[in-house]
C-alpha cells in the first residue's frame, strides 16, 4: 500500500516538474500564439519564472527629474529648481561599493520615474521615437489627462511627491505654502557612432510635466 | 518500453540525493546573504518598509488581506523584520526544515511585494531559489541537530523531491541566461555591438572612474557586447558538457565580477554565482572540503585518524 503511494506521488511530482518547465520555457520564448494562450491562463507565472532581460534594450538616455517649486502666497512667483537624479547617481558613484542607501534611493526614484513614463507614453521605447511635437507641453498634458485616474499613475506620482518632501526637508526648505511642479526630461547619451565627435551637442527632451500643486494640501 | 525508461529515471531520482552537500551550502549561503542585506539596509528600513516609506505600494494579494495587509506590516515593520531575522537564523541552522523554508519564502515575498520598485534580477532569482528550496532536502550538512536517516519509503520521496528541486534551480539559471540571450539577439543595439557602450555609460551604473575611458575604445565595446551575447546564448547548452563545464563556470564568474565592479550591481551577482556550485558533482565538492580541512587543520585530522 505504502509502496504504491510512493510510486504515485513520485510519478505525479515528476509530471508536475515536466509541466512546470514546459510552461516556463514556452513563456521564455519571444511572442508567439502558444505563449499568448499560456499567459492568458497563467498571468503571474511569467513574472515569477520567465521574465529575464538584463539591459535589453539598453537605455540610450539618462533620466532627469526636476522639482520646480514656488511659494503660492508670494506674488511674482519666483521659482526654484532642483534636479535630483544626476545627484543621486553621483552620490552612488562616490560611495561605491558602500552605497546601499544611495542605491535604495536610486532604485525607488528611478523606477517610479520609469513607471510614470511608461504609463503616459506606453508606446515610447527610445528617445528617438519621441517626436518633437510629443515633447510639447500641451501634448504631454493631453497624454496625462488620459491616464491621471490610473491607480499606478497616482502611485508613482505620490512616490515622487514623497521624495520631493524628503529633498526639501534635507535642504531645510519649508514646505508649508509651497507648490511643486514635477518635470521629467531625457538626456541622450552620446550615440555610439559619435563617440569621439567633438561637435556633438547633448540635448534634453521634455517627456513629462505636471501643473503646480501644493506639496502639503 | 517508454514506461520502463520513465520508471528507470524515477528510480534513479529516488536512489540518493545527488546534490546533498551543495544544497545545504546554498541554504546557509543564501541565509547569510539575506542577513547581509538586512544589515546593510538597516539604516534605510523606515524608508523601505515603515510608515514614512517613500514608495506607495500597489494593489496585490497581500494588500487585499484583512486589515489592509501592508498597513499591518508597515505599522509593525520592525517586529516583522526581527521575526524575519529569526527565521533566517533557523534556516541557516536547519531548524524547522521545510516549515522554516516555507515561512522564509513567504516573508521574503511579502518584503518584495512591499517594495516592488527595489527589485532587480538577483531578487527575482532569489525568490525562485527560496521556492525550490522548500522542496529540497538541504539538511544533510550544516544543521544544528543531526537526524538519523532511515532508508525507508519517505527517504525515497525526499531524494526525488530534492533532486527535482536541485535540477530546477540549475534550469532556472539556464533559462534566465537563455531568455536574456534570445531577447538580446533580437535587439538592434546588441546585434550591432553597441549595447555595452550604453550600459557602461549610464550614470546610474558607472561603477568606476575607468568606465568613461573604457567605452571610448570601440573594440572593447564590440568584444564585451558579443562576449556577453555568446555567453548567455551558449551557457544553457554547454554547461551540461563535462569537459567544458569548469572553464565555462570560470568565464561566468568573471562575467559577473565585471558586472559587479563596472556596473555597481551587487547582490544580483552573488545570487547567480552561488548557483554555479550545483553544476559540480557532490563527491568533488566533498573532496574539496576535505582537502581544505586537511590544509587548515592538519594536526587535528591526523590525531583523529590515529585514534
Amino acid at each position: 500500500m505504502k509502496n504504491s503511494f510512493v510510486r504515485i506521488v513520485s510519478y505525479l511530482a515528476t509530471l508536475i516538474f515536466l509541466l512546470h518547465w514546459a510552461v516556463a520555457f514556452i513563456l521564455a520564448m519571444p511572442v508567439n500564439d502558444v505563449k499568448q494562450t499560456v499567459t492568458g491562463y497563467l498571468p503571474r507565472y511569467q513574472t515569477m519564472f520567465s521574465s529575464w532581460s538584463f539591459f535589453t534594450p539598453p537605455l540610450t538616455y539618462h533620466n532627469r527629474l526636476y522639482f520646480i517649486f514656488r511659494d503660492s502666497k508670494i506674488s511674482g512667483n519666483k521659482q526654484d529648481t532642483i534636479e535630483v537624479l544626476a545627484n543621486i547617481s553621483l552620490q552612488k558613484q562616490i560611495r561605491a561599493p558602500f552605497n546601499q542607501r544611495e542605491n535604495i534611493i536610486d532604485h525607488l526614484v528611478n523606477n517610479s520615474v520609469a513607471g510614470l513614463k511608461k504609463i503616459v507614453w506606453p508606446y515610447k521605447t527610445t528617445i528617438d521615437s519621441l517626436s518633437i511635437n510629443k515633447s510639447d507641453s500641451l501634448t504631454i498634458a493631453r497624454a496625462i489627462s488620459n491616464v491621471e485616474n490610473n491607480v499606478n499613475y497616482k502611485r508613482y506620482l505620490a512616490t515622487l511627491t514623497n521624495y520631493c518632501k524628503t529633498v526639501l526637508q534635507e535642504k531645510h526648505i519649508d514646505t508649508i505654502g509651497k507648490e511643486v511642479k514635477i518635470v521629467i526630461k531625457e538626456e541622450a547619451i552620446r550615440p555610439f557612432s559619435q563617440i569621439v565627435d567633438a561637435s556633438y551637442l547633448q540635448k534634453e527632451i521634455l517627456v513629462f510635466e505636471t501643473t503646480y500643486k501644493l506639496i502639503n494640501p | 518500453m517508454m514506461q520502463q525508461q520513465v520508471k528507470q529515471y524515477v528510480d534513479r531520482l529516488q536512489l540518493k540525493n545527488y546534490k546533498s552537500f551543495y544544497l545545504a551550502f546554498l541554504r546557509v549561503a543564501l541565509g547569510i546573504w539575506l542577513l547581509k542585506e538586512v544589515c546593510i539596509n538597516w539604516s534605510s528600513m523606515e524608508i523601505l518598509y515603515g510608515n514614512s516609506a517613500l514608495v506607495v505600494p500597489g494593489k496585490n494579494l497581500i494588500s487585499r488581506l484583512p486589515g489592509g495587509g501592508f498597513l499591518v506590516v508597515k505599522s509593525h515593520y520592525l517586529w516583522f523584520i526581527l521575526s524575519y531575522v529569526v527565521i533566517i537564523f533557523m534556516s541557516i541552522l536547519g531548524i524547522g526544515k521545510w516549515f522554516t523554508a516555507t515561512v522564509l519564502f513567504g516573508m521574503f515575498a511579502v518584503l518584495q511585494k512591499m517594495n516592488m520598485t527595489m527589485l532587480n534580477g538577483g531578487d527575482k532569482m532569489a525568490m525562485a531559489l527560496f521556492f525550490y528550496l522548500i522542496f529540497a532536502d538541504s539538511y544533510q550538512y550544516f544543521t544544528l541537530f543531526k537526524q538519523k536517516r532511515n532508508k525507508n519509503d519517505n527517504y525515497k520521496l525526499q531524494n526525488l523531491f530534492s533532486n527535482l528541486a536541485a535540477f530546477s534551480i540549475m534550469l532556472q539559471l539556464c533559462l534566465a541566461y537563455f531568455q536574456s540571450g534570445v531577447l538580446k539577439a533580437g535587439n538592434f543595439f546588441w546585434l550591432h555591438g553597441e549595447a555595452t557602450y550604453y550600459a557602461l555609460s549610464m550614470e546610474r551604473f558607472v561603477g568606476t572612474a575607468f568606465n568613461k575611458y573604457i567605452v571610448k575604445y570601440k573594440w572593447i565595446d564590440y568584444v564585451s557586447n558579443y562576449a556577453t551575447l555568446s555567453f548567455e546564448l551558449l551557457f544553457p547548452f554547454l554547461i551540461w558538457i563535462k569537459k567544458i563545464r569548469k572553464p565555462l563556470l570560470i568565464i561566468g564568474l568573471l562575467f559577473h565580477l565585471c558586472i559587479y565592479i563596472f556596473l555597481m550591481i551587487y547582490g544580483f551577482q552573488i545570487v547567480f554565482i552561488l548557483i554555479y556550485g550545483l553544476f559540480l558533482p557532490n563527491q568533488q565538492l566533498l573532496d574539496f572540503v576535505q582537502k581544505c580541512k586537511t590544509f587548515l587543520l592538519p594536526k587535528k585530522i591526523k590525531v583523529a585518524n590515529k585514534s
Side-chain angles (χ1 to χ4, degrees), chain B residues 77-117:
Chain B
Y77 81 96
L78 211 57
W79 286 108
F80 189 81
I81 298 291
L82 287 176
S83 36
Y84 178 57
V85 170
V86 171
I87 291 292
I88 295 170
F89 271 113
M90 283 172 72
S91 170
I92 291 174
L93 298 171
I95 302 166
K97 296 185 174 183
W98 290 276
F99 173 75
T100 305
T102 313
V103 175
L104 183 61
F105 170 72
M107 291 181 107
F108 188 72
V110 170
L111 289 176
Q112 283 206 353
K113 293 277 178 201
M114 281 177 77
N115 236 318
M116 294 294 277
T117 48

Side-chain angles (χ1 to χ4, degrees), chain A residues 2-3 5-6 9-11 13-14 17 20-21 24-25 27-30 35 44 46-62 64 85-86 89 92-93 96-97 99-101 103-108 110-112 126 155-156 158-159 162-163 166 189-193 195, chain B residues 6-7 10 14 37 40-41 43-44 47-48 53-58 105 115 117-118 121 124-125 127 131-132 153 157 160-161 164 167-168 171-172 175-176 178-180 182-184 187 189-190 193-195 197-199 201-206 215-216 218 221-222 232 263-266 268 272:
Chain A
K2 201 169 183 187
N3 205 6
F5 170 76
V6 170
V9 173
S10 299
Y11 282 113
T14 314
F17 168 83
H20 163 67
W21 282 106
F25 273 97
L27 292 175
M29 290 296 124
K35 181 180 172 170
R44 309 235 168 215
Q46 189 171 12
T47 329
M48 174 120 179
F49 300 105
S50 311
S51 61
W52 308 92
S53 56
F54 309 143
F55 288 99
T56 314
L59 292 184
T60 52
Y61 53 83
H62 308 295
R64 294 280 175 255
L85 291 181
S89 298
K92 205 176 145 183
Q93 287 166 28
N99 57 2
Q100 187 61 9
R101 197 178 168 85
N103 195 30
I104 288 170
I105 300 288
D106 172 62
H107 270 81
L108 298 184
N110 257 303
N111 291 345
S112 300
T126 65
R155 195 160 68 83
Y156 290 130
T159 301
N162 283 348
Y163 186 61
T166 310
I189 294 174
R190 181 189 286 268
F192 187 69
S193 54
I195 286 181
Chain B
V6 173
K7 190 182 176 304
V10 172
Q14 288 177 338
E37 291 287 309
I40 60 173
N41 286 339
S43 61
S44 312
I47 301 175
L48 287 170
L54 274 181
V55 172
V56 182
F105 170 72
N115 236 318
T117 48
M118 266 308 288
K124 253 175 66 184
M125 183 57 91
M127 180 91 154
F131 173 72
Y132 294 129
D153 288 339
L157 271 183
L160 179 107
F161 277 111
L164 291 181
F167 196 40
S168 291
L171 283 177
Q172 190 65 62
L175 183 84
F178 187 67
Q179 187 181 15
S180 171
V182 169
L183 279 174
K184 282 180 173 66
N187 178 262
F189 296 104
W190 283 100
E194 301 177 9
Y197 161 76
Y198 287 107
S201 303
M202 281 197 68
E203 272 175 7
R204 288 182 67 196
F205 300 111
V206 176
V215 294
K216 279 182 186 166
K218 281 195 174 183
D221 298 323
Y222 285 129
E232 289 189 347
L263 295 175
M264 286 194 287
I265 306 173
Y266 302 132
F268 186 133
F272 272 65

Side-chain angles (χ1 to χ4, degrees), chain B residues 22-229:
Chain B
Y22 201 78
L23 280 173
F25 177 80
L26 194 62
R27 168 178 52 81
V28 175
L30 282 173
I32 293 170
W33 176 71
L34 285 184
L35 283 179
K36 182 215 91 182
E37 291 287 309
V38 171
C39 288
I40 60 173
N41 286 339
W42 192 256
S43 61
S44 312
M45 285 296 175
E46 179 63 28
I47 301 175
L48 287 170
Y49 309 115
N51 276 325
S52 56
L54 274 181
V55 172
V56 182
K59 280 193 175 166
N60 55 41
L61 196 70
I62 299 157
S63 64
R64 289 188 186 100
L65 289 174
F70 283 129
L71 292 175
V72 178
V73 182
K74 270 183 151 189
S75 313
H76 308 283
Y77 81 96
L78 211 57
W79 286 108
F80 189 81
I81 298 291
L82 287 176
S83 36
Y84 178 57
V85 170
V86 171
I87 291 292
I88 295 170
F89 271 113
M90 283 172 72
S91 170
I92 291 174
L93 298 171
I95 302 166
K97 296 185 174 183
W98 290 276
F99 173 75
T100 305
T102 313
V103 175
L104 183 61
F105 170 72
M107 291 181 107
F108 188 72
V110 170
L111 289 176
Q112 283 206 353
K113 293 277 178 201
M114 281 177 77
N115 236 318
M116 294 294 277
T117 48
M118 266 308 288
L119 303 186
N120 61 33
D123 296 307
K124 253 175 66 184
M125 183 57 91
M127 180 91 154
L129 289 192
F130 286 124
F131 173 72
Y132 294 129
L133 280 177
I134 294 173
F135 304 98
D137 176 14
S138 60
Y139 308 100
Q140 291 187 26
Y141 299 90
F142 310 121
T143 53
L144 192 63
F145 306 110
K146 294 275 176 236
Q147 251 195 2
K148 255 191 173 179
R149 285 171 185 277
N150 297 321
K151 293 208 170 188
N152 55 18
D153 288 339
N154 282 347
Y155 174 82
K156 279 183 181 176
L157 271 183
Q158 268 179 23
N159 285 344
L160 179 107
F161 277 111
S162 200
N163 289 324
L164 291 181
F167 196 40
S168 291
I169 295 172
M170 292 190 269
L171 283 177
Q172 190 65 62
L173 181 75
C174 292
L175 183 84
Y177 283 146
F178 187 67
Q179 187 181 15
S180 171
V182 169
L183 279 174
K184 282 180 173 66
N187 178 262
F188 174 88
F189 296 104
W190 283 100
L191 268 182
H192 289 79
E194 301 177 9
T196 46
Y197 161 76
Y198 287 107
L200 286 165
S201 303
M202 281 197 68
E203 272 175 7
R204 288 182 67 196
F205 300 111
V206 176
T208 70
F210 300 114
N211 283 37
K212 59 181 174 188
Y213 300 109
I214 294 169
V215 294
K216 279 182 186 166
Y217 296 99
K218 281 195 174 183
W219 68 269
I220 297 181
D221 298 323
Y222 285 129
V223 169
S224 56
N225 183 95
Y226 292 118
T228 305
L229 194 57

